[in-house]
């Protein structure tokens, strides 16, 4: 059953971002993880309730591209 709570975690590949995402997932949240380098979280691929997206939040083009998905 999908969670009614959704969190967007910027910098999911960093220590704090990853830790936050893992905690939210344990607590039943749906997590949208965003990072410039998703290869650092290959081990999280396929985790239930987790979506991973590549995006550079400092780039307007990258943000617009993510928003279009």
């Amino acid at each position: 059953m999908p969670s009614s709570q959704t969190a967007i975690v910027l910098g999911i590949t960093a220590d704090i971002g990853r830790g936050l995402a893992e905690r939210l997932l344990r607590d039943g949240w749906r997590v949208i993880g965003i990072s410039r380098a998703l290869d650092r979280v290959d081990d999280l691929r396929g985790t239930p309730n987790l979506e991973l997206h590549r995006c550079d939040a400092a780039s307007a083009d990258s943000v617009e591209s993510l928003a279009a998905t």
Side-chain angles (χ1 to χ4, degrees), residues 2-8 21 23-32 48-50:
S3 172
S4 62
Q5 299 172 306
T6 300
I8 298 172
R23 172 63 187 264
L24 290 166
L25 289 164
R26 276 195 310 272
D27 289 348
W29 286 65
R30 175 177 169 247
V31 175
I32 300 170
N49 297 323
L50 175 65

Side-chain angles (χ1 to χ4, degrees), residues 16-49:
I16 294 172
R18 184 184 177 113
L20 175 61
E22 290 173 345
R23 172 63 187 264
L24 290 166
L25 289 164
R26 276 195 310 272
D27 289 348
W29 286 65
R30 175 177 169 247
V31 175
I32 300 170
I34 299 171
S35 179
R36 292 177 292 187
L38 290 178
D39 56 321
R40 296 182 190 165
V41 288
D42 280 339
D43 59 315
L44 293 179
R45 291 189 190 280
T47 300
N49 297 323

Side-chain angles (χ1 to χ4, degrees), residues 49-64:
N49 297 323
L50 175 65
E51 292 179 36
L52 295 171
H53 296 276
R54 183 178 315 276
C55 180
D56 180 353
S59 164
D61 290 339
S62 185
V63 173
E64 286 178 17

